[in-house]
Amino acid sequence: MKNTATHSFYTLHSNDCSLVLDCSGDLPAICYWGPRLSDATGPEELAVLAAREEAPAREHVEAPIALTPMSASGYLGHPGLLMHRNGVQWNGYSVVLRVDEREHSLVVQSECAGTDVELVHTLSLDPDSNVLKATTTLTNRHDQPLVVDECNAPCIPIPDFCTEILGFAGRWSGEFRLQSQTRSQGSYVRENRSGRTSHDAFPGVITHDSYTSQQSGTAYGFHLGWSGNHRVAVDELADGRVCAQLGELFYPGEMILTEGESYTSPALYATCATQGLNQLSQNYHRYVRSHLTAPMMKQKDKLVHFNSWEAVYFDLSESKLLDLVAAAAEVGAERFVLDDGWFRHRRSDKAGLGDWYVEEKLFPNGLHPLAECIAEHGLEFGLWLEPEMVNPDSDLYRAHPDWALQASPAPNVLARHQLVLDLTNPDVQSYLFERIDALLGEYPVTYIKWDMNRDLHQPGNAQGVVVVHAQTRALYALLERIRKAHPTVEIESCSSGGGRADFGILEHTDRIWTSDSNDALDRLFIQRGFSLFFPAEFMGSHVGPADCHITGRRLTMALRGATAMFGDMGVEANLLEMGDEEKTELAAAIELHKQHRRLIFSGDLVRLNRPDYENAFGIVSANRKEALFSYTLLRSQPHSLPGRLRLAGLDENKTYTLRIIWPDPPTKRPESILSRLEGAKFSGASLMQAGIQLPLIFPESPLVIHLAQA
Ligand code: GLA
């Protein structure tokens, strides 16, 4: 087999990044991925710069870090493809056959001679956002089945000076916890076998140099758009080279390709920034806004939600809900979401999942009176569903026990008293589609909160075949079928909070429930981690009750409002028990969000570098004429007076009028320095270089500053 690519090098450019693919050898490999190269730069010179000599006591010719690194080429790092046919033909060795150069993308076709396998790598560099989308497709060209143990998305080399790794950890109600460590020889690996994106191992990683901050320095981001099992790795090889490899994690025997069958890896989304983590997340946000936002969502405002969960839990009654609708409308909510508890047998989380019929005992006339009341108050109607699940105590399970995933003969592992339905079973798909379609047909529902509240501990179907991959694809297919049948219905991805947040699910949904924790202090950090990849309009963020149900912490409405208003805002508290003063303050926070949501949902996010007792960030409009900055004093500060708040992202030559818009009044101290700032004009340079002298405020208090070009 001969390399028949027409050129040795292929280059992609975006506004700020370049990628050079070296096809001069047999295996295609990225020889440059990073900040945009000048027009004076030729790819050959990069290859000369990348050339390495023979290392002592090593092979004569070092194997490349190919798009799919291969053992048969002598690569001793983690291979990009692990496969075999009956224990042989493990030794894929691909040779480039053809490279199709399309606008902003390359499609590289290779063949593995001797193993009858075809590989296609697709690399698309979005010119505007600087996000590279990359996939690997493997096809079996032999009449014998091919067992695929691993087939990763294209492997990306990382410059060795990016010595720091920023990864993600977490738990239920504590998602997106950032975890920093210095790279060392060997591998940084995060594996997820939860069958969903997970709370504890978000499929993303960032590498950066030791000087990188929010506002400056080089950073490389990697994210796998996939809602099933995954493996994220950054490898520092013994020879000193570094690369990132992300892909799906298979159970044994999970991926077997018969003749002519193909497997495509989940897409890797990579980007590079030279101006810190802010630029990195702005790249991702721009990509999500242009490529992963449904056209319908681009045309309308996101609505402020009222959600019934923390207001009433399972203690629902029609009359209580009707009262809540009125109260929700009064504080300015625009959509009423009926959460868990409305369907047959669902008086607690122990029963009913699967029985997607309105509970007649609670709602003798169906949901019609509620829907009518919602419409009369000018709100839209949203409904909670958890279609992938079944309680053993349900009519559905009693009729079809074989519809649940299992690892028979092992006993069923229950979590939240429920099992997972086998979505790869066409009968399950038909049942779920029919039920959801019927509900959407009967009621004027404009939004589904699509929940998924347990891991896939035992992901085998009734035939004993493991189906995490197929289940994930089947979920995507079901969502698409529903979207096609009901194109104006928005869908939120919820999974016990933020357990299913990734770019794969964003192709099929319109909002993410970021976390079950509505504790504003915890939320600031959950939202900070989330914001590295996702823009604010996808970040469901609700004002919870004063006493947080999850942490027991009591927080002011000033803080709860300030935290929720910077996402897709909602309310999740019992308004019937809320005092008038608190409700008035809540209504004011909602009103402020509505006034500024266009900016929040389109502007550039700039997180500010602050000491650990503070949190601050801003959203700046694309034309730099307007901005909002949020500052929170998390706990007592160490000096008798606080320091300066240096803003970022503004136009240094523009003059801005400053207003403190939240809380109202901003502090309890009449002599506060803020009175001198209110309404005053400052240049962008003063605000960014000199900074605002912060006032004395109480710990756990926020300030929201608005800037408009004077
Ligand atoms: C999950 C969700 C919550 C709520 C409950 C209902 O935990 O994350 O927001 O909908 O389920 O059971």
Side-chain angles (χ1 to χ4, degrees):
M1 177 114 353
K2 229 171 102 271
N3 179 336
T4 48
T6 43
H7 308 300
S8 295
F9 298 96
Y10 297 84
T11 303
L12 294 172
H13 292 297
S14 64
N15 286 342
D16 305 315
C17 295
S18 299
L19 179 144
V20 179
L21 186 72
D22 182 348
C23 290
S24 61
D26 287 341
L27 283 68
I30 291 172
C31 86
Y32 179 83
W33 164 237
R36 193 185 160 105
L37 298 166
S38 71
D39 293 343
T41 314
E44 292 79 6
E45 64 195 78
L46 293 167
V48 173
L49 292 172
R52 287 156 61 91
E53 58 195 315
E54 184 181 332
R58 297 275 306 202
E59 65 279 14
H60 295 317
V61 181
E62 195 176 53
I65 298 183
L67 293 177
T68 296
M70 292 183 154
S71 301
S73 73
Y75 187 75
L76 294 182
H78 192 89
L81 176 60
L82 289 170
M83 61 173 190
H84 66 93
R85 279 194 194 88
N86 267 331
V88 294
Q89 298 192 335
W90 57 275
N91 51 331
Y93 180 79
S94 72
V95 178
V96 181
L97 286 186
R98 202 174 58 232
V99 181
D100 284 346
E101 285 184 274
R102 305 189 183 156
E103 217 193 348
H104 310 303
S105 69
L106 300 172
V107 180
V108 186
Q109 201 186 326
S110 312
E111 205 164 291
C112 300
T115 49
D116 295 310
V117 159
E118 183 188 290
L119 271 181
V120 175
H121 295 104
T122 304
L123 306 170
S124 308
L125 179 55
D126 182 46
D128 181 44
S129 68
N130 308 304
V131 170
L132 173 74
K133 180 179 180 187
T135 56
T136 305
T137 299
L138 172 71
T139 305
N140 180 14
R141 296 283 176 218
H142 194 281
D143 58 6
Q144 293 300 307
L146 181 77
V147 177
V148 182
D149 291 327
E150 202 168 319
C151 177
N152 290 321
C155 181
I156 313 272
I158 298 172
D160 55 4
F161 68 83
C162 283
T163 53
E164 307 306 308
I165 295 178
L166 185 61
F168 294 84
R171 59 165 164 82
W172 171 73
S173 270
E175 299 84 342
F176 298 101
R177 186 159 53 77
L178 299 178
Q179 209 168 240
S180 294
Q181 64 191 76
T182 299
R183 207 189 62 223
S184 54
Q185 190 172 329
S187 296
Y188 164 90
V189 178
R190 296 302 313 277
E191 290 188 344
N192 164 44
R193 288 187 179 76
S194 68
R196 51 177 164 171
T197 322
S198 86
H199 291 85
D200 53 295
F202 170 74
V205 65
I206 293 167
T207 63
H208 57 85
D209 74 28
S210 54
Y211 306 104
T212 298
S213 67
Q214 300 295 340
Q215 278 136 246
S216 64
T218 300
Y220 285 78
F222 304 92
H223 167 56
L224 193 75
W226 185 240
S227 320
N229 291 340
H230 64 248
R231 180 178 185 275
V232 170
V234 174
D235 299 325
E236 181 180 307
L237 305 178
D239 59 38
R241 293 176 297 170
V242 185
C243 59
Q245 228 181 127
L246 287 79
E248 201 177 345
L249 194 64
F250 296 135
Y251 278 90
E254 189 173 357
M255 187 54 61
I256 300 177
L257 301 178
T258 55
E259 188 178 9
E261 269 190 327
S262 296
Y263 165 77
T264 297
S265 72
L268 168 72
Y269 296 90
T271 195
C272 166
T274 51
Q275 288 156 50
L277 298 177
N278 284 337
Q279 194 192 26
L280 179 136
S281 41
Q282 285 164 15
N283 286 350
Y284 280 119
H285 295 180
R286 223 171 301 131
Y287 187 86
V288 171
R289 284 173 174 162
S290 57
H291 290 75
L292 297 173
T293 304
M296 151 185 93
M297 299 308 296
K298 291 184 183 163
Q299 271 141 42
K300 61 185 209 189
D301 275 339
K302 296 214 112 183
L303 302 180
V304 174
H305 285 190
F306 173 85
N307 180 294
S308 68
W309 181 238
E310 289 207 14
V312 290
Y313 294 105
F314 290 109
D315 189 19
L316 318 162
S317 70
E318 194 177 74
S319 66
K320 208 188 279 180
L321 290 170
L322 298 181
D323 289 347
L324 278 170
V325 172
E330 215 179 300
V331 295
E334 299 161 303
R335 179 179 279 146
F336 187 93
V337 181
L338 176 58
D339 209 281
D340 200 351
W342 57 268
F343 47 96
R344 262 185 214 163
H345 310 129
R346 190 69 169 170
R347 302 314 310 128
S348 75
D349 62 6
K350 294 194 172 60
L353 285 175
D355 298 341
W356 300 111
Y357 298 86
V358 177
E359 173 58 74
E360 299 84 350
K361 286 185 210 125
L362 281 179
F363 302 100
N365 299 306
L367 297 176
H368 294 291
L370 180 65
E372 278 154 27
C373 173
I374 290 171
E376 274 160 24
H377 283 85
L379 275 69
E380 291 191 7
F381 186 11
L383 194 62
W384 181 94
L385 290 162
E386 194 180 352
E388 297 151 78
M389 298 292 158
V390 66
N391 285 116
D393 186 0
S394 65
D395 293 343
L396 187 73
Y397 187 78
R398 281 181 282 273
H400 302 285
D402 57 321
W403 281 12
L405 294 177
Q406 52 187 280
S408 177
N412 283 341
V413 173
L414 285 171
R416 212 190 185 207
H417 317 284
Q418 62 199 54
L419 295 170
V420 186
L421 288 172
D422 175 11
L423 297 190
T424 68
N425 177 340
D427 294 338
V428 174
Q429 284 264 344
S430 303
Y431 169 74
L432 292 175
F433 179 77
E434 185 279 320
R435 278 294 75 227
I436 297 168
D437 185 53
L439 287 162
L440 295 181
E442 185 169 0
Y443 300 109
V445 167
T446 61
Y447 155 98
I448 298 174
K449 177 175 174 183
W450 186 293
D451 210 338
M452 193 282 199
N453 283 321
R454 65 158 291 175
D455 294 327
L456 271 61
H457 297 84
Q458 298 172 306
N461 67 12
Q463 292 72 45
V465 177
V466 69
V467 292
V468 186
H469 168 85
Q471 175 88 355
T472 312
R473 289 270 173 233
L475 164 71
Y476 291 166
L478 180 59
L479 286 165
E480 269 327 285
R481 196 171 163 203
I482 291 162
R483 269 184 151 190
K484 212 164 162 216
H486 302 276
T488 57
V489 172
E490 294 169 37
I491 303 181
E492 173 174 52
S493 171
C494 172
S495 187
S496 314
R500 193 147 66 191
D502 63 82
F503 286 10
I505 201 73
L506 279 198
E507 289 189 17
H508 312 284
T509 54
D510 310 292
R511 186 189 204 242
I512 289 171
W513 181 227
T514 318
S515 176
D516 273 354
S517 177
N518 291 321
D519 177 305
L521 286 177
D522 283 356
R523 263 302 185 120
L524 283 173
F525 290 94
I526 295 168
Q527 296 183 178
R528 200 176 173 85
F530 183 91
S531 77
L532 281 162
F533 290 88
F534 304 92
E537 62 272 30
F538 284 88
M539 184 172 78
S541 55
H542 294 176
V543 173
D547 290 309
C548 175
H549 293 174
I550 284 168
T551 61
R553 195 151 44 189
R554 189 172 182 80
L555 297 169
T556 61
M557 179 56 80
L559 182 62
R560 284 177 283 147
T563 304
M565 71 172 71
F566 281 94
D568 189 7
M569 191 177 188
V571 178
E572 195 164 334
N574 193 344
L575 294 173
L576 306 178
E577 287 173 0
M578 205 181 261
D580 287 344
E581 206 179 308
E582 199 182 353
K583 269 198 284 190
T584 307
E585 222 182 328
L586 171 60
I590 291 174
E591 184 48 36
L592 209 55
H593 168 80
K594 287 181 183 169
Q595 274 170 30
H596 297 288
R597 65 183 157 194
R598 290 255 162 96
L599 169 62
I600 295 170
F601 297 158
S602 66
D604 287 340
L605 175 72
V606 283
R607 290 172 298 263
L608 303 182
N609 302 319
R610 299 303 302 168
D612 63 1
Y613 52 87
E614 295 175 339
N615 183 68
F617 61 90
I619 308 242
V620 184
S621 67
N623 60 13
R624 305 276 172 265
K625 288 185 176 175
E626 197 188 359
L628 280 176
F629 280 86
S630 160
Y631 165 83
T632 307
L633 178 63
L634 303 169
R635 50 181 192 275
S636 298
Q637 47 96 21
H639 304 106
S640 45
L641 282 176
R644 299 268 193 103
L645 182 68
R646 283 175 194 77
L647 306 185
L650 301 171
D651 180 340
E652 58 180 9
N653 294 313
K654 285 194 168 55
T655 300
Y656 298 92
T657 306
L658 186 154
R659 296 206 183 279
I660 315 288
I661 56 169
W662 184 261
D664 184 18
T667 103
K668 301 226 170 356
R669 291 166 52 90
E671 70 277 23
S672 166
I673 187 79
L674 290 181
S675 51
R676 294 184 52 186
L677 300 174
E678 179 66 25
K681 294 182 177 36
F682 304 97
S683 73
S686 315
L687 294 168
M688 293 192 292
Q689 311 310 340
I692 300 168
Q693 169 58 53
L694 287 162
L696 272 177
I697 57 174
F698 288 148
E700 304 185 352
S701 295
L703 281 178
V704 179
I705 297 165
H706 180 251
L707 300 170
Q709 190 175 9

